[in-house]
Amino acid sequence: MANYICYLKSDLYKLCHSCFFLLHAIFAVCGAAMMSLYAGVSQSDDINKLAAYFQIMAVAFPFAIGIVCYVAAEQEAKAGHFQNILTLPYRQKAALSKLTILLVTGLLATVLSSVLFGALFPLVGGTTEIPSGFYTVIPLVLWGSNILLYGIHFVLAIRFGKNLGIGIGVFGSLLVALLQTGLGTGIWFVIPYGWGIRFSSYVLETTFGLMPPDRIGMDFGILFCILSTCAIIGIAVHWFSRYSGNRSAD
C-alpha cells in the first residue's frame, strides 16, 4: 500500500505539469455550456432536455477517454520512453496508480458537468425540479459503465500511441449513438459502448417516474458489465506488468 501511495503522489505531480487536469475541466465546462445553450433554444419539454444532456455525455465519453488516456501515456513516453515507470519494482501498482487517477478525474469531471448543467438549467427556461440523483446517481452510473473503456484505452495509448487510441475513441462515440437507436435492440448489453447511454437513460427515466420498471436485458447487461470490467482492468494491469516498452509509431 505504501508503494501504491508513493506512485499515486508521483503520478499526480507529473500530470500537474501536463494538460491532463485542464482537459477534464474543459470537457466538463464546455459540455455543460453547450447543452445549456441547446436547452435554451430547444422546444422540447424539460425531461427530454435532461435526457439529451446525458445522451450527449454518453456519446462524448469514449472520445474523451481516448484523449485523456493518450495524454497520460504520452507524459510517460516523453519522460525517457516509459523507462521511469518500467524500472519500478512494483509495476502492477504503478499501473493501478495511473488507472486510479484516470478514473477519479473522469468521475469528478462527470459530476462537475452535471452540477454545472443543473445550475444553469433554470436560467435557460427549465422549470422542472431536478432531483439529487441527477447530480449523483446518474453521473455515477454513466461513469461506471465506461470503466472498461479506460482499461482498453490505457493499453492502446501505451502500446500504439495517439492515432489508434483516439481513432477508436471516435469510432466508439459513433457506435454509442447507433446503439441507442433500434439497431442496438437485443445486442446493446453485450457491447461496452452501449452500456453508458442505456444504463443512464434507464436510471433517468426511473428517477422521474416516466416508465414502469422494465428490466428486459438490463439485468444481464449489468452483470455482463461488471464481469467484463473486472476482467479487462485485471488484464490491463497484468499486461502492463509484462510490457517491454515497445511502441508502434503514431
Side-chain angles (χ1 to χ4, degrees), residues 4-57:
Y4 170 74
I5 298 298
C6 289
Y7 295 156
L8 201 60
K9 291 179 179 179
S10 176
D11 285 333
L12 286 171
Y13 177 79
K14 288 183 289 187
L15 290 172
C16 281
H17 292 79
S18 70
C19 61
F20 180 80
F21 295 108
L22 178 61
L23 278 175
H24 282 84
I26 290 174
F27 286 143
V29 173
C30 289
M34 288 189 294
M35 290 308 297
S36 295
L37 290 175
Y38 162 79
V41 301
S42 175
Q43 300 301 315
S44 302
D45 58 45
D46 287 352
I47 303 301
N48 285 331
K49 292 176 182 178
L50 297 174
Y53 166 74
F54 278 108
Q55 289 171 359
I56 296 299
M57 286 278 287

Side-chain angles (χ1 to χ4, degrees), residues 11-166:
D11 285 333
L12 286 171
Y13 177 79
K14 288 183 289 187
L15 290 172
C16 281
H17 292 79
S18 70
C19 61
F20 180 80
F21 295 108
L22 178 61
L23 278 175
H24 282 84
I26 290 174
F27 286 143
V29 173
C30 289
M34 288 189 294
M35 290 308 297
S36 295
L37 290 175
Y38 162 79
V41 301
S42 175
Q43 300 301 315
S44 302
D45 58 45
D46 287 352
I47 303 301
N48 285 331
K49 292 176 182 178
L50 297 174
Y53 166 74
F54 278 108
Q55 289 171 359
I56 296 299
M57 286 278 287
V59 170
F61 231 110
F63 174 65
I65 290 173
I67 292 179
V68 297
C69 285
Y70 164 71
V71 171
E74 192 65 12
Q75 183 272 326
E76 290 293 345
K78 291 180 178 179
H81 301 284
F82 297 101
Q83 294 308 306
N84 288 341
I85 192 170
L86 293 178
T87 55
L88 293 174
Y90 303 99
R91 285 167 55 180
Q92 289 182 334
K93 293 181 180 179
L96 284 174
S97 169
K98 289 198 172 295
L99 283 170
T100 298
I101 293 175
L102 284 166
L103 292 172
V104 171
T105 50
L107 175 60
L108 292 177
T110 305
V111 173
L112 173 61
S113 184
S114 301
V115 170
L116 289 175
F117 179 75
L120 293 172
F121 190 65
L123 303 179
V124 294
T127 57
T128 300
E129 182 179 353
I130 300 178
S132 59
F134 183 88
Y135 308 108
T136 54
V137 178
I138 304 176
L140 184 63
V141 169
L142 178 60
W143 166 82
S145 304
N146 286 280
I147 292 178
L148 178 145
L149 299 184
Y150 278 100
I152 294 175
H153 281 276
F154 175 74
V155 173
L156 292 177
I158 292 176
R159 180 63 181 84
F160 298 102
K162 174 176 62 176
N163 293 338
L164 183 62
I166 295 181

